[in-house]
Amino acid sequence: MEWVIFVPAAVLAIAGGVGVIAARQPVHSAIALLVVLASLAVTYLLLAAQFIAVLQVIIYAGAIVVLFLFVIMLLHARSGEGPVEKLPRQRVAAVVFASLFLAALLAGSVAATRPLAPAPEGFGTAQHVGEALFVTYLLPFELASVILMVGIIAAVVVVKRGPPAGRGGR
Amino acid sequence: MLPVAAYLALSAVLFTMGVVGVLVRRNALIVFISIELMLNSVNLAFIAFARQHLGIDGQVIVFFVLVVAAVEVVVGLALIVEIFRSRSTVDIDDVDLLRG
């Protein structure tokens, strides 16, 4: 029954993944990432994680991908890859070792064939996640706000231009 | 009900794609998007295990991964913009000042 929803979502996610790594333009890569994010949100719903699925759409698709698109737009003029390949055999080695890695991961994951028990009522709702977040994980939650603050300050400091040269930088 | 292995297999495939993207592509932006792909595949694995063990902790961890990913994107894109400003390229092979 769930296959009807899972298989199209998985196919779409894998197609989007291929699009991310095969796209010639970064813009197409970002759009393919959007496809992956949307289909993963569907699988989250299948796994009884409604709240995380909504967060995925709002934060990832709504904020992170838009940020990517802004920067791609900003750098669009000459943001391609140069013609010279400095590490010629790296691609082949990367694909070979990635296949071995995938084989190892799949061998590990097929061991988990136990069928899932039905989820209890209210599992993964905003209330359920919120209770865990504000009771058990209150300190990490507060630290997350500090991390966000540090990220904002870091972005401003990194991108800020220094005082223009020759005009007495004081 | 689907076994959790199906979700783990999807997660493994997506993670490997992210690894290939990081290793093969030379455009810094696409490398960065591939990193996001890997983060998402790990999130899927977390949620699959949370569903299997019926514990909410996995979903809470995904929440924190989302927060850290947002910060990582902001800082990383700021660095890429700055590198582009000073060197007029986002090809990671051209940024090799530290090469021996």
Side-chain angles (χ1 to χ4, degrees):
Chain A
M1 181 59 201
E2 284 177 4
W3 288 101
V4 183
I5 306 171
F6 176 77
V7 171
V11 168
L12 212 57
I14 291 173
V18 171
V20 165
I21 60 176
R24 200 159 291 188
Q25 304 262 353
V27 183
H28 300 157
S29 212
I31 300 297
L33 180 68
L34 205 56
V35 173
V36 177
L37 297 177
S39 27
L40 282 187
V42 172
T43 62
Y44 293 173
L45 285 178
L46 284 180
L47 288 167
Q50 303 96 314
F51 182 59
I52 300 294
V54 172
L55 279 190
Q56 165 98 350
V57 172
I58 293 177
I59 298 183
Y60 253 115
I64 294 183
V65 172
V66 170
L67 198 61
F68 264 114
L69 288 175
F70 266 118
V71 171
I72 290 168
M73 200 170 65
L74 207 62
L75 308 183
H76 193 61
R78 292 179 51 204
S79 62
E81 297 177 347
V84 194
E85 185 143 13
K86 294 190 179 174
L87 301 169
R89 279 181 300 277
Q90 192 212 6
R91 286 176 185 234
V92 182
V95 172
V96 169
F97 283 108
S99 323
L100 291 176
F101 180 64
L102 177 63
L105 280 182
L106 286 179
S109 64
V110 292
T113 48
R114 202 153 50 106
L116 291 173
E121 186 73 21
F123 181 80
T125 55
Q127 184 188 0
H128 193 187
V129 178
E131 273 174 15
L133 204 55
F134 289 111
V135 177
T136 318
Y137 296 98
L138 184 60
L139 183 64
F141 180 75
E142 296 295 339
L143 285 179
S145 63
V146 176
I147 292 178
L148 283 170
M149 193 69 206
V150 170
I152 294 170
I153 296 172
V156 171
V157 169
V158 167
V159 181
K160 194 181 68 173
R161 287 178 188 275
R167 250 199 262 166
R170 285 176 189 252
Chain B
M1 302 292 273
L2 274 175
V4 75
Y7 299 97
L8 293 182
L10 175 60
S11 165
V13 171
L14 287 179
F15 191 91
T16 310
M17 280 178 176
V19 170
V20 171
V22 168
L23 290 177
V24 166
R25 297 307 302 257
R26 286 176 295 140
N27 187 326
L29 288 165
I30 294 183
V31 169
F32 215 56
I33 295 174
S34 303
I35 293 175
E36 294 303 312
L37 193 61
M38 286 194 274
L39 283 172
N40 268 286
S41 72
V42 173
N43 280 351
L44 178 61
F46 266 125
I47 289 185
F49 281 122
R51 174 70 182 76
Q52 186 185 21
H53 298 288
L54 290 178
I56 200 69
D57 302 344
Q59 298 191 9
V60 175
I61 289 179
V62 170
F63 172 83
F64 289 118
V65 172
L66 282 177
V67 172
V68 173
V71 175
E72 174 238 344
V73 165
V74 168
V75 176
L77 286 179
L79 288 174
I80 290 178
V81 168
E82 198 52 34
I83 289 171
F84 184 77
R85 267 189 195 161
S86 61
R87 307 185 65 103
S88 300
T89 179
V90 290
D91 189 328
I92 52 176
D93 280 357
D94 290 341
V95 187
D96 54 0
L97 272 180
L98 290 181
R99 196 175 196 178

